[in-house]
């Protein structure tokens, strides 16, 4: 975790609060859930391919597939190679509407309000694919989203990821790229980062403040060793 130079004076727009999404703001992971939701809406017969999805997950767990490739295979099995933009965006809106009915931690909504009250800019940085993450995060009233980029061919969604999966070190790097896009130097912004999982250790250590939310066992041990606050959102 970075230390902020005491003499640095920051304007309110240079105070950022960055939240992970899955199991930090949401009660459950979202990627496979979204794909199953979309399959049921667009091509219910594809739910018969769930055993193949489970097989892909096993291949990932044993190191035979990268996380990025796993997501692409799941997408291909449950949505197919091509989906029209209008159809998938409507499904994403419906998925977000369902999540509003108990899919988010109430404490997460309260914390977002608190961060804004402090004058901080709220951003969600997530491995969730942008095709649905934007709609899901908008349901929380947040519109700054850094997510895994979905691949498009004009108005058609492709079963591929554009660039890196926003996970692990890639999440930190994509946040750093976002700073550069905003023409903000790293030392000119105070970043407070919230997440539940050890995979976000690179971003925790890059941030100025690290806060563990309902942490996994490994993250809890790391947070305790570093003196990071641990919050329980029920």
């Amino acid at each position: 975790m970075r230390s902020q130079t005491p003499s640095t004076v920051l304007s309110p727009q240079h105070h950022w609060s960055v939240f992970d999404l899955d199991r930090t703001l949401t009660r459950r992971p979202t990627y496979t859930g979204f794909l199953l939701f979309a399959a049921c809406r667009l091509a219910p017969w594809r739910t018969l391919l769930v055993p193949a999805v489970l097989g892909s997950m096993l291949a990932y767990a044993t190191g035979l597939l990268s996380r990025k490739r796993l997501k692409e295979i799941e997408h291909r099995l449950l949505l197919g190679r091509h989906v029209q933009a209008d159809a998938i965006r409507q499904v994403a809106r419906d998925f977000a509407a369902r999540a509003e009915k108990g899919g988010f931690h109430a404490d997460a909504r309260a914390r977002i309000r608190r961060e804004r009250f402090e004058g901080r800019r709220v951003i969600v940085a997530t491995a969730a694919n942008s095709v649905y993450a934007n709609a899901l995060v908008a349901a929380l009233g947040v519109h700054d989203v850094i997510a895994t980029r979905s691949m498009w061919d004009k108005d058609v969604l492709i079963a591929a990821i554009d660039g890196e999966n926003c996970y692990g070190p890639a999440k930190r790097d994509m946040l750093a790229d976002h700073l550069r896009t905003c023409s903000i130097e790293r030392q000119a912004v105070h970043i407070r980062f919230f997440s539940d999982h050890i995979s976000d250790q690179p971003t925790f250590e890059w941030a100025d403040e690290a806060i563990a939310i309902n942490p996994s066992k490994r993250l809890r041990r790391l947070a305790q060793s570093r003196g990071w606050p641990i919050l329980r959102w029920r």
Side-chain angles (χ1 to χ4, degrees), residues 75-92:
H75 182 151
R76 171 69 180 85
L77 289 168
L78 294 174
L79 292 185
R81 293 182 185 276
H82 308 97
V83 184
Q84 291 296 318
D86 289 346
I88 197 64
R89 285 173 177 152
Q90 182 58 58
V91 169

Side-chain angles (χ1 to χ4, degrees), residues 20 24 193-201 204 210-226 228-230:
D20 173 49
T24 300
F193 181 62
F194 302 78
S195 179
D196 72 296
H197 200 264
I198 191 67
S199 64
D200 280 322
Q201 182 175 350
F204 275 123
I211 301 177
I213 306 297
N214 296 346
S216 60
K217 290 181 180 180
R218 289 179 62 196
L219 177 57
R220 184 175 66 249
R221 289 195 296 268
L222 178 65
Q224 290 170 340
S225 70
R226 301 289 183 86
W228 298 342
I230 296 174

